[in-house]
């Protein structure tokens, strides 16, 4: 799906929060290879882009590039900024003049035929932005990993001075204790309301956009029709009941001799905890 020759990108963020111990990083790293395989299958021709926290090493960035990602290796995170500021680094794809259409997705959620067909219907509609709600628990007006838009429209409507300026202004006005969905609700949604095509499985969030709220173009998901809902969390067998159906041995081999984190304490946690689980799963 090339989007009528538009230059399209799927944007991800890989970020390590300062507020807690090292998360179950094997969940996200195992997902890297799965998401790339799914993108080739369901979104051929799309650039798969990862905005990588500066707490990861250059060697780690190189390993991810070998999987087929475009990696933007960011500087180390500023601890004074809210966590949602770092998670939202994927918004920087909007500034790229080489990208016409962007999708925001989460690494621990699979790319599926349901997702791809929904995006194709949105692109064909001519509407500037796209948002999905595919589960009763999807209650925010914009789910952070389930929306997208046309880059020119995003720059014009909510980031005319660029994403860095947009995030800096938001950091001064949006509650630091919130998440990236709070950022979208407060700083993005007011500017794109009325120009967003909502696809709403439970049909309970149509209040957000009236006539631009439509059902998903595919039948309701079930075990036989579609394997899960858009935004469903799937990750490594070590952490989730349903394993990623993709070979990740090559990724594990790439990481075997690569320091993953710049900081010694994080690297020690990785080697002791998450890496053995991931190596066992991928081999």
């Amino acid at each position: 799906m090339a989007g009528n020759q538009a230059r399209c990108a799927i944007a991800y963020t890989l970020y390590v929060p300062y507020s807690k111990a090292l998360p179950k990083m094997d969940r996200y790293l195992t997902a890297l290879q799965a998401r790339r395989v799914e993108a080739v299958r369901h979104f051929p021709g799309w650039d798969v882009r990862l905005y990588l926290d500066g707490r990861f090493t250059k060697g780690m960035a190189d390993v991810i590039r070998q999987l087929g990602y475009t990696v933007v290796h960011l500087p180390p995170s500023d601890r004074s900024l809210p966590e949602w500021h770092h998670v939202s680094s994927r918004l920087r794809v909007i500034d790229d003049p080489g990208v016409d259409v962007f999708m925001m997705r989460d690494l621990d959620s699979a790319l599926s035929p349901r997702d791809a067909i929904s995006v194709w219907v949105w692109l064909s509609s001519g509407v500037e932005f796209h948002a999905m709600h595919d589960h009763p628990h999807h209650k925010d007006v914009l789910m952070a990993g389930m929306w997208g838009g046309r880059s020119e429209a995003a720059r014009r409507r909510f980031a005319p001075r660029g994403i860095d300026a947009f995030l800096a202004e938001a950091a001064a006005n949006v509650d630091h204790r919130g998440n990236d969905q709070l950022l979208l609700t407060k700083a993005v949604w007011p500017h794109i309301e009325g120009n967003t095509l909502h696809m709403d499985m439970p049909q309970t969030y149509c209040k957000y956009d009236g006539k631009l709220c439509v059902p998903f173009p595919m039948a309701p998901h079930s075990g036989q029709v579609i394997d899960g809902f858009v935004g469903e969390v799937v990750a490594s067998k070590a952490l989730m009941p349903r394993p990623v159906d993709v070979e990740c041995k090559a990724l594990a081999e790439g990481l075997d001799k690569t320091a993953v984190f710049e900081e010694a304490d994080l690297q020690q946690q990785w080697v002791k905890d998450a890496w053995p689980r991931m190596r066992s799963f991928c081999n």
Side-chain angles (χ1 to χ4, degrees), residues 24-281:
K24 306 293 188 181
M25 193 53 64
D26 54 320
R27 163 176 165 176
Y28 297 102
L29 298 192
T30 303
L32 282 168
Q33 195 151 357
R35 301 297 84 82
R36 180 64 186 136
V37 169
E38 293 159 359
V40 170
R41 183 179 302 154
H42 303 308
F43 292 90
W46 286 60
D47 181 30
V48 186
R49 187 168 302 193
L50 180 70
Y51 290 82
L52 185 67
D53 190 345
R55 300 177 80 187
F56 291 95
T57 64
K58 179 181 181 298
M60 176 63 176
D62 290 340
V63 168
I64 298 172
R65 288 189 182 100
Q66 291 172 11
L67 299 179
Y69 282 81
T70 298
V71 178
V72 180
H73 198 188
L74 302 167
S77 304
D78 182 346
R79 292 173 183 258
S80 69
L81 293 171
E83 188 167 307
W84 55 252
H85 187 285
H86 309 302
V87 176
S88 299
S89 61
R90 58 188 167 189
L91 289 173
R92 289 182 169 87
V93 71
I94 293 168
D95 280 342
D96 188 337
V99 174
D100 300 313
V101 173
F102 64 88
M103 294 189 333
M104 303 299 172
R105 294 294 184 267
D106 294 330
L107 278 175
D108 56 358
S109 295
L111 298 172
S112 66
R114 183 176 180 83
D115 191 350
I117 292 172
S118 299
V119 169
W120 180 83
V121 169
W122 160 61
L123 286 173
S124 301
S125 74
V127 179
E128 291 179 344
F129 298 94
H130 182 221
M132 293 181 284
H133 298 86
D134 204 19
H135 191 278
H137 290 165
H138 293 164
K139 295 183 178 180
D140 291 277
V141 62
L142 288 177
M143 302 300 296
M146 297 175 61
W147 75 287
R150 303 176 196 271
S151 301
E152 182 279 328
R155 292 191 292 267
R156 171 167 41 86
R157 292 193 178 277
F158 63 84
R161 295 185 294 118
I163 290 298
D164 282 342
F166 165 79
L167 289 174
E169 182 177 349
N173 294 291
V174 177
D175 192 339
H176 283 208
R177 295 167 297 179
N179 57 22
D180 50 345
Q181 288 173 184
L182 177 64
L183 168 70
L184 296 175
T185 299
K186 297 292 187 181
V188 173
W189 175 247
H191 301 283
I192 69 174
E193 184 176 5
N195 296 281
T196 301
L197 182 67
H198 278 282
M199 291 178 182
D200 186 6
M201 184 278 293
Q203 287 287 290
T204 56
Y205 306 110
C206 289
K207 62 184 180 181
Y208 290 126
D209 235 338
K211 65 181 180 181
L212 291 182
C213 190
V214 299
F216 276 84
M218 297 180 70
H221 45 71
S222 71
Q224 294 181 333
V225 176
I226 185 69
D227 189 12
F229 53 88
V230 177
E232 180 183 11
V233 173
V234 293
S236 76
K237 184 167 59 177
L239 296 167
M240 294 293 162
R242 183 154 61 86
V244 171
D245 183 21
V246 66
E247 174 62 58
C248 58
K249 185 176 181 180
L251 175 59
E253 290 174 349
L255 293 176
D256 197 27
K257 299 180 180 179
T258 301
V260 172
F261 296 98
E262 291 284 359
E263 299 163 38
D265 60 333
L266 289 181
Q267 181 65 18
Q268 185 176 14
Q269 288 184 60
W270 162 256
V271 171
K272 181 180 178 181
D273 183 20
W275 171 234
R277 286 198 308 270
M278 181 175 175
R279 183 167 50 190
S280 174
F281 173 68

